[in-house]
């Protein structure tokens, strides 16, 4: 408790006031002495001097306080400027600026919000002194509240009573937060960078208050520091992003260089293998190893001719491949797209494994295709490597085809000479045939096959691989597959041809096997006869089999000039009732009647062949006679027998038994 003011001595009063100023006494002490001086009687000598002295001391005290505030403000500005150059963490730097602003102005709450142009909102990033949870998460639109005024004027804005201020449009959510926080007075200054408001700095009090121009000026300086910090952080982020992009570009360039080097190494490896005359299987294995998958090379008929698999690759797509499997349609479509685009294309995916396909071209012809089974994606360089490898494999296939053509050229010329009407000298033909292991002095058999799905040249190449080594001549003559061999091998050749054609071509083939001939002189006429027989087979609709000449001779004579529709009319007119009965009842009377005629109309022999009782045979014949009428006349029997043989030959029925 300070001693009361002594009013009897002006010097003593001055000394006491100086002592109060030196001690930094609060304004209340000076106010007490002014009140005491003013209570002195008016007639008291020197009263006015005493009052004026106290007031002068109070003015000095106020100036000293203002100077101290300025010093604290300048110190805060200097420290903030030092922080800008020494701190890199944006959040820490902004927190320091907000805390300084709050303590410098002696306010209850302070926060800094950053403007986000995309949604047009200010979002609080740092808060200090907040009591309510919602204060640190405040978000307000740029056109509401104090933010709208500062955003439009780019000048500080202060209000002693925010909630009742009518100078701006209020944000209901923000007002609720201020009520929860107890905020009354508020001052906000903009963070400006190049004429753009990038944020706002606020200080607020929970009582009505007016801020001095000095305080607002210091607050603006701190806001400028905040703007610099935000700008530096954004520039740093842009620089870091640019550096990241540069690193990514460098990494991509390095990867591209590595890929180019790998592609060059792959090309060199393929070229080296090709120059050394490596086999197709070696090339396939190298391609599979380069691309880390499985490789199949297919011929024109989608048959596998070579394969390769990388070490450690566990995909099963290549092993499960089948020419007529569930993915054959997708492969065919992909091959068509690949030929149109001139690039490899994906064909299908199964069990996490992808198949990419590329046709193998040799000259103007498609020699086959190459399939790559792999897991995951393929980089562009890997795709290019695969496509280059298909060209190398095309060269190998074309070379093999030409080598095969060279080896078989003499055999093909011999075969053409043998079936030509103008044959060479018999001795010369015999000598040339001996070079191919074929003895022309033994009985010979000639087979002609017409294929609809692939070229006869392709069929000839495939059949050469299946036929016995030597003793057989195979070639494409006039678009037909022609095979000449010893009569003793005729059955095996017929079986091999039928098995291969049914497996690889389905039913799109038909052929004729000749009866044995005793010498090469008979071959030209036999060739012409078999060509006519093929035409008959096509007319009567026979497919998927090779027919013996003996089975076809009579029909070739009778039906050489008829088309398929007229033959169908003949069968319907002759056997229609019988065939309709079999279809309706599920019986086999047509085959029974054919067996009866083949057994020279001997019911007992036919019953034995069919393994039925002779009485059953007679009952069946009686039913047939009811359907077709009596065939006792020779002409009627011949007509029925001929129709039944033609019906059986065309594949519409099988002989009973």
């Amino acid at each position: 408790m300070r001693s009361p003011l002594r009013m009897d001595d002006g010097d003593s009063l001055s000394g006491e006031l100086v002592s109060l100023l030196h001690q930094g006494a609060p304004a209340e002490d000076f106010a007490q002495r002014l009140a005491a001086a003013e209570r002195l009687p008016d007639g008291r000598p020197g009263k006015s001097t005493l009052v004026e002295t106290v007031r002068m001391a109070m003015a000095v005290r106020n100036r000293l306080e203002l100077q101290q505030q300025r010093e604290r403000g300048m110190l805060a500005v200097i420290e903030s400027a030092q922080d800008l150059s020494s701190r890199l963490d944006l959040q820490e730097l902004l927190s320091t600026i907000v805390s300084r602003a709050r303590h410098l102005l002696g306010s209850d709450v302070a926060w800094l919000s950053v403007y986000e142009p995309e949604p047009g909102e200010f979002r609080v990033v740092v808060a200090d002194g907040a009591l309510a949870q919602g204060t640190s998460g405040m978000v307000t639109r740029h056109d509401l509240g104090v933010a709208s005024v500062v955003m439009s004027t780019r000048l500080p804005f202060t209000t002693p009573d925010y909630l009742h201020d009518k100078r701006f449009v209020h944000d209901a959510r923000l007002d609720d937060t201020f009520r929860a926080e107890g905020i009354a007075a508020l001052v906000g200054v903009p963070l400006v960078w190049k004429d753009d408001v990038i944020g706002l700095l606020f200080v607020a009090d929970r009582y009505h208050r007016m801020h001095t121009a000095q305080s607002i000026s210091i607050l603006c300086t701190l806001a400028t520091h905040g703007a610099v910090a935000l700008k530096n952080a954004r520039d740093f982020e842009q620089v870091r992003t640019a550096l990241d992009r540069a690193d990514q570009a460098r990494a991509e360039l390095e990867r591209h260089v590595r890929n180019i080097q790998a592609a060059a190494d792959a090309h060199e490896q393929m070229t080296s293998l090709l120059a050394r005359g490596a086999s197709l299987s070696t090339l396939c294995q190298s391609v599979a190893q380069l691309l880390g998958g499985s490789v199949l090379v297919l011929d024109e008929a989608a048959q596998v001719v070579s394969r390769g698999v990388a070490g450690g690759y566990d995909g099963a797509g290549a092993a499960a491949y089948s020419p007529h499997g569930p993915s054959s349609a997708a492969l065919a479509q992909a091959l068509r797209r690949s030929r149109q685009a001139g690039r490899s294309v994906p064909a299908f995916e199964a069990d996490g494994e992808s198949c990419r396909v590329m046709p193998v071209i040799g000259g103007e012809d498609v020699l086959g295709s190459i399939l790559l089974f792999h897991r995951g994606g393929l980089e562009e360089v890997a795709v290019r490597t695969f496509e280059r490898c298909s060209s190398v494999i095309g060269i190998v296939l074309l070379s093999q085809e030409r080598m095969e053509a060279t080896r078989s050229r003499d055999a093909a010329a011999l075969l053409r000479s043998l079936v030509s009407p103008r044959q060479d000298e018999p001795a010369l033909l015999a000598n040339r045939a001996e070079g191919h292991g074929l003895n022309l002095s033994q009985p010979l058999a000639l087979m002609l096959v017409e294929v609809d799905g692939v070229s006869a040249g392709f069929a000839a190449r495939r059949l050469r691989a299946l036929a016995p080594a030597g003793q057989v001549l195979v070639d494409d003559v006039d678009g037909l597959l022609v095979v000449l061999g010893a009569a003793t091998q005729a059955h095996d050749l017929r079986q091999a041809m039928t098995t291969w054609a049914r497996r690889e071509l389905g039913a799109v083939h038909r052929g004729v096997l000749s009866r044995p001939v005793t010498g090469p002189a008979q071959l030209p006429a036999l060739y012409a006869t078999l060509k006519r027989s093929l035409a008959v087979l096509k007319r009567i609709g026979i497919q998927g089999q090779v027919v013996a000449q003996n089975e076809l001779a009579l029909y070739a004579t009778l039906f050489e000039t008829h088309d398929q529709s007229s033959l169908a009319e003949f069968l319907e007119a002759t056997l229609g009732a019988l065939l309709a009965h079999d279809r309706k009842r599920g019986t086999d009377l047509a085959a029974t009647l054919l067996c009866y005629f083949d057994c020279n109309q001997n019911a007992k022999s036919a019953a034995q062949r069919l393994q039925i009782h002779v009485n059953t045979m007679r009952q069946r014949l009686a039913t047939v006679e009811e359907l077709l009428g009596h065939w006792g006349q020779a002409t009627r029997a011949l007509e029925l027998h001929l129709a039944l043989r033609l019906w059986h030959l065309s594949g519409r029925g099988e002989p009973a038994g």
Side-chain angles (χ1 to χ4, degrees):
M1 183 72 179
R2 297 184 187 276
S3 59
L5 178 65
R6 292 182 299 171
M7 297 296 176
D8 56 347
D9 188 354
D11 292 337
S12 299
L13 175 63
S14 298
E16 186 176 358
L17 291 175
V18 170
S19 177
L20 291 175
L21 290 173
H22 177 70
Q23 296 173 8
E28 289 79 2
D29 290 349
F30 290 91
Q32 289 176 4
R33 280 151 180 79
L34 178 61
E38 289 178 343
R39 285 198 300 271
L40 291 174
D42 292 338
R44 174 80 160 78
K47 174 182 177 180
S48 60
T49 302
L50 291 174
V51 172
E52 185 62 26
T53 300
V54 175
R55 286 178 177 173
M56 291 173 62
M58 292 180 68
V60 171
R61 188 260 173 200
N62 290 338
R63 285 197 294 271
L64 288 174
E65 184 179 17
L66 180 60
Q67 186 65 30
Q68 291 173 355
Q69 288 181 354
R70 288 177 178 175
E71 289 179 356
R72 289 196 299 270
M74 291 302 299
L75 181 61
V77 169
I78 292 172
E79 291 176 347
S80 179
Q82 291 175 343
D83 288 339
L84 284 176
S85 60
S86 62
R87 296 191 182 187
L88 295 178
D89 185 84
L90 177 64
Q91 192 70 18
E92 181 183 356
L93 184 56
L94 294 180
S95 297
T96 302
I97 292 174
V98 170
S99 178
R100 284 199 182 104
R102 174 180 169 236
H103 289 96
L104 186 62
L105 272 66
S107 298
D108 297 319
V109 189
W111 65 90
L112 188 146
S113 57
V114 175
Y115 182 58
E116 297 179 355
E118 189 66 26
E121 295 176 339
F122 285 94
R123 185 177 302 274
V124 173
V125 293
V126 176
D128 185 56
L131 299 178
Q133 292 183 352
T135 302
S136 59
M138 288 187 295
V139 178
T140 183
R141 286 167 41 186
H142 71 282
D143 56 349
L144 295 177
V146 172
S148 63
V149 180
V150 178
M151 187 77 172
S152 60
T153 63
R154 292 175 173 77
L155 296 174
F157 181 86
T158 180
T159 174
D161 188 1
Y162 176 88
L163 293 175
H164 298 91
D165 200 321
K166 304 300 183 181
R167 291 176 292 173
F168 48 82
V169 179
H170 283 257
D171 184 335
R173 293 181 303 168
L174 197 62
D175 287 359
D176 292 340
T177 303
F178 281 12
R179 290 190 187 94
E181 189 66 53
I183 291 175
L186 176 72
V187 58
V189 295
L191 278 66
V192 180
W193 186 265
K194 294 183 179 180
D195 296 331
D196 292 327
V197 177
I198 61 174
L200 298 174
L201 176 61
F202 290 97
V203 292
D205 294 278
R206 297 186 177 94
Y207 60 92
H208 300 295
R209 175 184 178 185
M210 291 298 295
H211 291 279
T212 65
Q214 176 68 21
S215 299
I216 296 176
S217 176
I218 295 175
L219 192 62
C220 289
T221 303
L222 293 176
T224 301
H225 290 176
V228 172
L230 285 175
K231 182 59 178 177
N232 289 343
R234 291 178 180 178
D235 290 344
F236 179 75
E237 183 65 27
Q238 291 176 357
V239 171
R240 187 173 62 180
T241 301
L243 290 175
D244 291 342
R245 289 177 180 174
D247 289 341
Q248 293 175 2
R250 179 179 53 79
E252 179 66 20
L253 181 59
E254 291 177 352
R255 186 186 63 82
H256 186 64
V257 170
R258 289 194 299 269
N259 288 337
I260 291 177
Q261 184 61 44
D265 293 342
H267 181 72
E268 182 178 355
Q269 181 179 348
M270 290 293 104
T271 304
S272 177
L273 290 172
L274 187 63
R276 295 201 305 265
S279 64
L280 184 59
S281 60
T282 301
L283 285 172
C284 285
Q285 185 61 36
S286 298
V287 174
Q289 199 67 40
L290 281 171
L291 300 177
S294 294
V295 171
L296 294 181
V297 177
L298 311 181
D299 60 17
E300 299 168 73
Q303 298 293 322
V304 178
V305 295
S306 187
R307 65 176 69 233
V309 58
Y313 184 72
D314 59 352
Y321 169 79
S322 171
H324 305 292
S327 302
S328 57
L331 277 174
Q333 293 175 359
L335 278 172
R336 285 194 294 269
R337 296 199 312 270
S338 180
R339 289 204 65 185
Q340 291 172 356
R343 296 286 308 275
S344 64
V345 298
F348 62 89
E349 292 186 9
D351 299 328
E353 195 173 17
S354 301
C355 175
R356 178 172 285 270
V357 65
M358 179 77 180
V360 177
I361 308 296
E364 299 295 329
D365 300 325
V366 178
L367 303 179
S369 58
I370 176 172
L371 276 59
L372 171 63
F373 293 86
H374 63 93
R375 297 190 185 278
L378 281 181
E379 294 186 354
E380 180 63 21
V381 174
V383 174
R384 292 287 186 180
T385 299
F386 173 62
E387 293 168 356
R388 293 190 186 99
C389 290
S390 72
S391 301
V392 174
I393 289 175
I395 294 173
V396 174
L397 290 178
L398 186 60
S399 175
Q400 290 181 349
E401 183 178 299
R402 288 177 177 175
M403 291 174 62
E404 182 183 353
T406 300
R407 289 194 301 267
S408 62
R409 187 176 297 120
D410 186 58
L414 174 60
L415 180 58
R416 291 173 180 271
S417 179
L418 286 170
V419 300
S420 173
R422 298 181 180 181
Q423 287 185 338
D424 293 337
E425 292 295 329
L428 179 60
L429 290 176
N431 290 335
R432 292 173 61 188
E434 286 179 3
H436 295 281
L438 181 62
N439 185 3
L440 295 184
S441 63
Q442 66 179 343
L444 303 172
L446 185 66
M447 181 169 63
L448 268 65
V449 180
E450 184 179 20
V451 290
D452 295 339
V454 296
S455 67
F458 169 76
R461 292 193 299 273
R462 294 292 295 162
L463 195 59
R464 285 192 198 103
L466 300 174
Q471 303 181 2
V472 175
L473 300 178
V474 182
D475 197 26
D476 166 17
V477 180
D478 300 331
L480 300 175
L481 176 63
V482 180
V483 184
L484 176 65
T488 55
Q489 296 179 319
H491 176 75
D492 294 338
L493 287 174
R494 178 183 182 182
Q495 188 65 34
M497 175 64 203
T498 302
T499 301
W500 170 77
R502 286 179 177 174
R503 184 179 68 247
E504 298 190 13
L505 303 178
V508 289
H509 73 282
R510 64 196 66 83
V512 182
L513 177 64
S514 75
R515 63 175 67 91
V517 295
T518 56
Q522 302 176 37
L523 291 176
L526 180 61
Y527 175 72
T529 300
L530 295 184
K531 283 187 68 175
R532 291 194 299 271
S533 299
L534 276 179
V536 173
L537 288 179
K538 190 170 185 178
R539 287 192 181 95
I540 63 180
I542 293 179
Q543 291 191 115
Q545 56 180 310
V546 177
V547 181
Q549 183 184 7
N550 289 338
E551 299 180 56
L552 195 61
L554 176 63
Y555 310 103
T557 303
L558 294 176
F559 299 109
E560 188 171 353
T561 60
H562 290 266
D563 57 19
Q564 191 170 349
S565 61
S566 63
L567 296 178
E569 292 174 359
F570 166 71
L571 289 178
E572 179 63 27
T574 308
L575 302 175
L578 179 61
L579 298 177
H581 181 277
D582 280 349
R583 287 193 297 269
K584 182 177 180 181
R585 302 291 181 86
T587 56
D588 205 11
L589 296 181
T592 301
L593 183 59
L594 176 59
C595 183
Y596 174 70
F597 281 127
D598 287 345
C599 293
N600 297 320
Q601 301 188 36
N602 186 317
K604 184 176 181 180
S605 298
Q608 291 176 350
R609 179 179 295 183
L610 296 176
Q611 297 180 355
I612 61 176
H613 195 274
V614 66
N615 290 336
T616 303
M617 184 69 188
R618 291 192 177 98
Q619 291 173 0
R620 292 184 181 181
L621 292 175
T623 303
V624 172
E625 188 170 359
E626 292 177 1
L627 294 169
L628 300 180
H630 185 61
W631 59 78
Q633 295 181 356
T635 55
R636 177 59 174 164
L638 177 61
E639 182 184 33
L640 288 175
H641 196 182
L642 181 63
L644 287 167
R645 292 301 303 167
L646 182 62
W647 166 76
H648 168 63
L649 190 63
S650 63
R652 296 178 174 87
E654 297 290 339

